[in-house]
Amino acid sequence: MACFLVPAAEAIVLTIARKVMLKEKDSDASKPVSAESVKIPFSRKLKWLTNLLWGGSALLAFEHVWHGEVTPWFPFLTAAADPGDAAEMLHEMATSGVAMAILVTIVWLAMLAVTGAAEKKEIEARLAAR
Amino acid sequence: MTLLTTVFAAIVCTIVWYKNMPDDKMKVGILCFMYWGASLMWLIDAIAEYLEVQAEYFNPDPLSMLNDLYLGLSVVALGLIIWLAILLVKDPKGALRAALFKGK
């Protein structure tokens, strides 16, 4: 009904957080490059998650338009017009929507674990090469 | 069927992305994220439906299957359109810029 709104909300929050992070990083640009420059910046890793969330939400929003659950006119969500349907919609958002956001975040965390291990290997290899 | 179509699109895009690594001038990574994100979200939908209808989930009637396939293909097309728009706006190869301002 409107489950895609939960991952979309997460995407909005994380995109803003990333923008703030990048702004702060820009002000630190004068700092010397550390030995850990091999590591992928967290802002870039966060972009993977926002890309997953934005992309998934956009395609799911299209599916909802397809099924007539989202309309281009007020109240935009057909379920919002009826209190009974609205309650069902909120229940779906709380169950499926939250589960979607959690699953995508778990997959992203797994990606972080894999890239973290790869970074560690790369640092060790560079240190051994010295 | 929509989930299956999107998963196949995600797999194909990931193979193309990996083949072109470390260069991602065509920004195929965006497509990968988009299709994988949607696949994960539809997986939750599929699990919820499976819990509701049990084994019947795997025996959809032909008409709904066809509609789902139609939706899946439309989703893949929409993903490609979004990717194309991003590609043309960002113009990572600079080809569009070069063509537009040729001789100026």
Side-chain angles (χ1 to χ4, degrees):
Chain A
M1 279 180 163
C3 46
F4 70 96
L5 289 178
V6 180
E10 187 186 345
I12 291 168
V13 171
L14 292 176
T15 303
I16 293 167
R18 187 174 171 268
K19 294 270 178 207
V20 172
M21 210 178 280
L22 285 174
K23 231 179 195 177
E24 281 174 7
K25 203 179 161 195
D26 280 347
S27 60
D28 288 350
S30 55
K31 284 184 181 174
V33 179
S34 69
E36 287 190 336
S37 54
V38 175
K39 281 194 172 179
I40 302 164
F42 186 71
S43 58
R44 194 176 152 200
K45 290 175 179 173
L46 200 57
K47 195 163 194 243
W48 301 341
L49 179 58
T50 55
N51 279 348
L52 279 170
L53 291 165
W54 277 123
S57 302
L59 298 185
L60 252 79
F62 175 73
E63 187 227 336
H64 287 72
V65 173
W66 182 280
H67 289 132
E69 292 164 350
V70 173
T71 54
W73 51 84
F74 191 80
F76 307 111
L77 301 165
T78 45
D82 180 72
D85 286 344
E88 198 184 325
M89 178 186 78
L90 289 173
H91 178 259
E92 202 195 83
M93 281 170 76
T95 50
S96 293
V98 170
M100 283 172 183
I102 290 172
L103 179 65
V104 172
T105 310
I106 287 171
V107 168
W108 175 70
L109 288 173
M111 284 168 71
L112 289 195
V114 172
T115 49
E119 281 169 353
K120 216 174 170 184
K121 252 187 192 173
E122 184 64 27
I123 290 168
E124 281 170 7
R126 285 190 187 197
L127 285 173
R130 272 184 195 174
Chain B
M1 205 62 181
T2 311
L3 169 65
L4 203 61
T5 315
T6 321
V7 167
F8 273 117
I11 291 169
V12 169
C13 288
T14 309
I15 292 168
V16 172
W17 168 78
Y18 186 78
K19 216 179 152 218
N20 293 321
M21 282 300 277
D23 254 9
D24 189 24
K25 279 193 173 169
M26 291 299 284
K27 297 213 165 282
V28 183
I30 292 172
L31 263 182
C32 294
F33 281 123
M34 210 161 19
Y35 290 144
W36 279 121
S39 300
L40 290 170
M41 291 180 195
W42 270 314
L43 179 68
I44 294 292
D45 259 355
I47 292 168
E49 203 181 328
Y50 174 77
L51 291 174
E52 206 177 296
V53 297
Q54 301 287 316
E56 202 147 303
Y57 174 78
F58 300 106
N59 297 304
D61 64 282
L63 197 66
S64 72
M65 215 164 90
L66 193 68
N67 187 266
D68 276 356
L69 175 67
Y70 187 26
L71 170 62
L73 292 175
S74 303
V75 161
V76 172
L78 178 69
L80 287 169
I81 290 167
I82 294 170
W83 166 72
L84 206 57
I86 294 170
L87 189 70
L88 292 177
V89 168
K90 293 207 169 171
D91 191 19
K93 279 186 164 181
L96 195 66
R97 229 168 299 140
L100 282 173
F101 302 109
K102 199 163 80 178
K104 283 196 177 177

